[in-house]
Amino acid sequence: MSPKFLRIAVVLGLLSAIGPFAIDMYLPALPSIGTDLHAGTAAVQMSLLIFFLSMGFGQIVVGPISDMVGRKLPLYGGLALFMAGGIGSAMAPTIEWLIAFRFLQGLGASAGMAIPRAIVRDLHTGNEAAKLMSLLMLVFSVSPILAPLTGSQIIENFGWRAVFWTVTGAAVLATILLATSLKETRPAEERVGSSFGTALAGYRFLMGDRNFLGLVAIAGFGIASFFVYLSSSSFILIDHYGLSPSVYSVFFSINAVAFIGMSQLTGLLSERFGLKRVVWVAVTGYATTMVVLFAVMATGVDRLDVMAALLFVGYGFLGLVIPTTSVLAMEEHGEIAGTASALMGTLHFAIGALAMGVAGVFFDGTPLPMVAGITLCAVTSFALAKATLGRSREAVEAPAE
């Protein structure tokens, strides 16, 4: 791979990781935030949920804007909002103020979620896009490995507020790299005719595209299963299993290692077997693994090592699902790549936020409700893959030579 290819992947990966970084880094702090701000578990989880919602639905606006004015200007605006929300969160006196500033921070993060996928589509399609997307996922996935570990050390030494100063610093770095290392990928001549009217028309068209919606939903429920884990894992591993924030961060990072490792095989596997077949095998493996985990824990087996091992295997399969479905969904929509990426991201986060909200209702401090939520999402993803890809020869055969 050329240095330019790798440089673009690093910059896009960092831009994409800013939002998740602001999630993963403060997960170990959730219990201490509740104590410091005199807030209950539901209120503290709301600061996480509101970030997901604003980061998800903000993409509906920022995606079409990037089609109209180019990719870089909305990215600058998003990073500025993110930094303002981060500073406000660091100084929040109450849980209500924290939730408000997290909402603002999520809006800023939405640009980093929607626009990099559109840039990938601007530059590449097919297997080349899958390779770039997998490299982007490599950088992106550093967040769930390093962020909890870094966050736990910062929290133990400086308190939870320092987490938000740190993520604000990361946004400053991303702004510098955006200015110096990434050229505009949607030139002025390609923006002619792009407007909010065409964006609305594009959304109507995409909402009628069953293949697009099916592929987005497959990944959406896969991501939702991880969101369920995000919202509950710190309480379960720290309070239920008695882990310290540092050890919790190690367990959390293990799943990211599986996700990263498998996602890097996306380009190789899709080139050999075809993107659709990779999706089908991956969702089948993920759903099967999660059903086994639920069955084991439903029988009364409450062991952290068993849960960690099966989640490791499951999230490895999930690492193949996200980049492949994203490339397939964007393949036929290059003219409205920003709009398509925005709708994809919004639906992903809407499904994830819904799953988090439902899981929160059944949360009782034990692992079983969380595992049940993850399993339900995985099985739904499998069912959607079967409906979208079917068992047709096209869905499973390798690409023609």
Side-chain angles (χ1 to χ4, degrees):
M1 295 182 183
S2 68
K4 179 181 177 182
F5 196 88
L6 293 173
R7 186 183 72 248
I8 292 172
V10 169
V11 176
L12 295 182
L14 179 58
L15 289 167
S16 299
I18 289 296
F21 197 64
I23 297 168
D24 302 333
M25 197 170 182
Y26 102 130
L27 286 176
L30 291 179
S32 61
I33 289 174
T35 300
D36 188 35
L37 298 182
H38 308 290
T41 299
V44 175
Q45 287 181 322
M46 179 56 67
S47 70
L48 180 62
L49 177 59
I50 200 69
F51 184 90
F52 277 112
L53 288 173
S54 62
M55 184 163 62
F57 286 98
Q59 295 179 58
I60 283 287
V61 177
V62 76
I65 288 175
S66 76
D67 284 339
M68 288 183 273
V69 304
R71 308 303 186 200
K72 293 187 70 171
L73 185 60
L75 282 170
Y76 284 126
L79 287 166
L81 277 179
F82 182 89
M83 287 184 276
I87 293 170
S89 296
M91 301 175 68
T94 66
I95 190 65
E96 290 80 13
W97 277 108
L98 177 62
I99 291 171
F101 282 115
R102 288 288 281 172
F103 177 82
L104 181 64
Q105 193 180 36
L107 285 180
S110 67
M113 297 303 296
I115 297 176
R117 286 192 301 263
I119 292 174
V120 170
R121 180 56 185 82
D122 289 342
L123 297 172
H124 300 287
T125 58
N127 291 331
E128 287 300 306
K131 291 176 183 178
L132 180 55
M133 191 71 76
S134 65
L135 278 175
L136 187 153
M137 294 296 295
L138 174 61
V139 181
F140 174 87
S141 298
V142 168
S143 173
I145 292 180
L146 296 182
L149 294 170
T150 305
S152 64
Q153 293 301 313
I154 291 173
I155 293 161
E156 289 179 4
N157 290 284
F158 304 104
W160 63 268
R161 295 180 187 275
V163 166
F164 292 105
W165 292 114
T166 304
V167 297
T168 300
V172 172
L173 174 60
T175 304
I176 294 171
L177 289 176
L178 174 62
T180 59
S181 302
L182 188 67
K183 294 182 178 180
E184 178 60 59
T185 61
R186 188 169 175 84
E189 60 270 18
E190 294 183 10
R191 306 172 204 162
V192 177
S194 294
S195 65
F196 281 112
T198 59
L200 290 174
Y203 283 135
R204 285 196 298 270
F205 173 76
L206 292 168
M207 290 300 292
D209 186 339
R210 294 179 61 185
N211 184 65
F212 175 83
L213 292 177
L215 289 164
V216 168
I218 291 168
F221 278 95
I223 293 171
S225 69
F226 192 66
F227 284 4
V228 171
Y229 181 72
L230 279 176
S231 64
S232 302
S233 61
S234 61
F235 296 101
I236 291 172
L237 271 66
I238 293 173
D239 295 338
H240 181 73
Y241 287 114
L243 302 184
S244 68
S246 296
V247 177
Y248 158 74
S249 299
V250 173
F251 271 83
F252 186 86
S253 301
I254 288 173
N255 294 322
V257 170
F259 186 94
I260 290 174
M262 292 302 290
S263 71
Q264 294 314 292
L265 298 177
T266 300
L268 177 64
L269 293 175
S270 63
E271 193 170 355
R272 182 170 181 179
F273 300 108
L275 285 165
K276 291 181 179 180
R277 188 173 186 180
V278 173
V279 174
W280 177 251
V281 172
V283 295
T284 302
Y286 185 45
T288 301
T289 305
M290 293 302 99
V291 168
V292 170
L293 174 60
F294 175 73
V296 169
M297 300 205 74
T299 61
V301 177
D302 187 4
R303 290 178 50 179
L304 179 57
D305 57 343
V306 172
M307 183 174 73
L310 288 172
L311 284 174
F312 179 85
V313 174
Y315 286 132
F317 283 115
L318 187 61
L320 292 173
V321 175
I322 309 305
T324 49
T325 52
S326 296
V327 170
L328 283 170
M330 298 282 289
E331 194 79 40
E332 303 299 324
H333 304 295
E335 294 299 317
I336 52 170
T339 301
S341 178
L343 182 59
M344 177 191 302
T346 297
L347 292 175
H348 283 173
F349 279 88
I351 295 169
L354 177 63
M356 285 173 58
V358 173
V361 171
F362 293 98
F363 179 78
D364 63 359
T366 67
L368 190 58
M370 179 188 75
V371 170
I374 293 172
T375 303
L376 181 60
C377 289
V379 171
T380 303
S381 186
F382 169 81
L384 287 165
K386 186 173 182 180
T388 303
L389 303 178
R391 293 187 176 181
S392 66
R393 185 176 180 180
E394 179 188 2
V396 297
E397 69 180 1
E401 295 293 326

